[in-house]
Amino acid sequence: MEQAARLIRFSKYTIALTGAGISAESGIPTFRGHQGLWERYDPMEYASIGSFIEDPEKVWKALYELDEIMQKARPNPAHFALAELEKMGYLKAIITQNVDGLHQAAGSKNVIEFHGSAKRLICLNCGRVYQREEIDTSVLVPRCKCNGLLKPDVVFFGEPIPEKAMELANQEVDACDLMLVIGTSAEVVPASILPWEAKRSGAKIIEVNLSPTNLTDEITDIFLQGPATKVLTSLLKKMTV
Ligand code: NAD
Ligand code: ZN
């Protein structure tokens, strides 16, 4: 923890890459790990663009349950700690794989949503974007004014990363000399490649996770094992003394 704090203090450009694990303690289930939702709904089936187009009603029914959880979720101390590090000038950007909007809700400003946002819906026909609140999702399947199918504006398996997010993320990765990798299994491509790219261009890696990942023995410089809320709160404390 001491070493990590020192590294953050002396780095010129620190960024964070976050995954579902940082929102786990806000009550949103991660994909991997033993939790109700994804044991009933295989993400490869329910979060794939192919299945969505084939049977949007089936996918929307599953999304409904996740949507309810997300609407209720509030940022946790880990989200707040990152927002605070940004305010203090220690953290320049967050690239998040999460679609829950909790980094912004905690006050983080420079957030790159690599996988889109569940706070928006997009029409698969005309591309029009709606705010989640504008649409009544209790009537399935929600449709656009043009009658096109509405889909949460998140990247499903089989869809590309939004161009702008990809471009911004690459810029941040190139610029950073330290990357905090928090609560991600680093198994979903291409987000999982970002830490490798950072490392290749000379950045140090601090990883925060409940358990080791395939990055840990390969490229992680400091592994802080534990729940993100606890680890980041302690780290923040070290940065403020
Ligand atoms: P993942 O589910 O593959 O992995 C979660 C990781 O977080 C695991 O390595 C796990 O050990 C770790 N973890 C769990 N609880 C933790 C905690 N309290 N503190 C620290 N670490 C913890 O998640 P991923 O790598 O983000 O990939 C899954 C994909 O699913 C992503 O693309 C993401 O967009 C999407 N997803 C998003 C949300 C969300 O928006 N909150 C939730 C589920 C899935
Ligand atoms: Zn439309």
Side-chain angles (χ1 to χ4, degrees):
M1 196 65 80
E2 288 289 351
Q3 277 176 26
R6 202 171 317 128
L7 210 48
I8 296 174
R9 214 181 282 281
F10 293 110
S11 292
K12 291 195 176 66
Y13 203 98
T14 301
I15 67 170
L17 172 69
T18 64
I22 197 169
S23 294
E25 292 165 88
S26 290
I28 304 175
T30 59
F31 275 178
R32 290 160 189 85
H34 305 284
Q35 307 208 22
L37 190 66
W38 301 117
E39 275 166 11
R40 277 177 292 134
Y41 302 117
D42 175 6
M44 288 309 271
E45 185 184 347
Y46 282 87
S48 101
I49 187 67
S51 349
F52 184 76
I53 290 166
E54 206 168 285
D55 193 347
E57 190 169 342
K58 181 180 98 171
V59 174
W60 261 113
K61 272 191 187 138
L63 287 174
Y64 189 75
E65 203 172 323
L66 185 61
D67 190 51
E68 281 214 308
I69 299 173
M70 285 216 190
Q71 298 297 329
K72 282 193 216 121
R74 295 290 168 265
N76 67 47
H79 299 105
F80 286 118
L82 290 186
E84 193 53 36
L85 286 176
E86 185 185 38
K87 269 190 214 115
M88 292 165 75
Y90 288 122
L91 187 67
K92 306 299 182 199
I94 298 174
I95 303 168
T96 188
Q97 300 169 79
N98 298 340
V99 297
D100 52 34
L102 292 180
H103 286 301
Q104 294 92 328
S108 286
K109 299 289 179 230
N110 191 14
V111 181
I112 299 164
E113 292 178 317
F114 205 69
H115 290 161
S117 170
K119 306 267 174 213
R120 302 184 300 262
L121 304 181
I122 185 164
C123 171
L124 288 185
N125 181 44
C126 73
R128 184 179 169 143
V129 174
Y130 295 84
Q131 292 307 305
R132 165 70 190 72
E133 312 79 62
E134 288 178 70
I135 304 292
D136 179 6
T137 52
S138 67
V139 188
L140 294 181
V141 176
R143 289 191 176 270
C144 177
K145 288 200 174 79
C146 81
N147 203 38
L149 211 52
L150 287 179
K151 172 188 150 298
D153 193 11
V154 307
V155 177
F156 277 27
F157 288 108
E159 288 189 300
I161 304 301
E163 227 169 279
K164 190 73 195 161
M166 187 59 136
E167 189 189 316
L168 291 172
N170 282 331
Q171 278 171 18
E172 296 296 350
V173 169
D174 285 347
C176 80
D177 59 354
L178 174 61
M179 182 187 265
L180 314 177
V181 180
I182 306 163
T184 174
S185 62
E187 281 177 26
V188 180
V189 207
S192 57
I193 300 167
L194 299 175
W196 294 87
E197 294 196 329
K199 184 74 180 186
R200 203 175 43 211
S201 53
K204 294 262 193 286
I205 308 287
I206 297 175
E207 194 183 5
V208 178
N209 203 304
L210 288 180
S211 39
T213 69
N214 53 25
L215 304 178
T216 313
D217 286 337
E218 301 293 329
I219 59 169
T220 297
D221 294 285
I222 300 178
F223 183 61
L224 302 173
Q225 187 158 14
T229 51
K230 191 160 166 257
V231 172
L232 291 181
T233 309
S234 318
L235 197 56
L236 180 65
K237 213 176 273 168
K238 290 249 178 294
M239 301 300 304
T240 40
V241 291

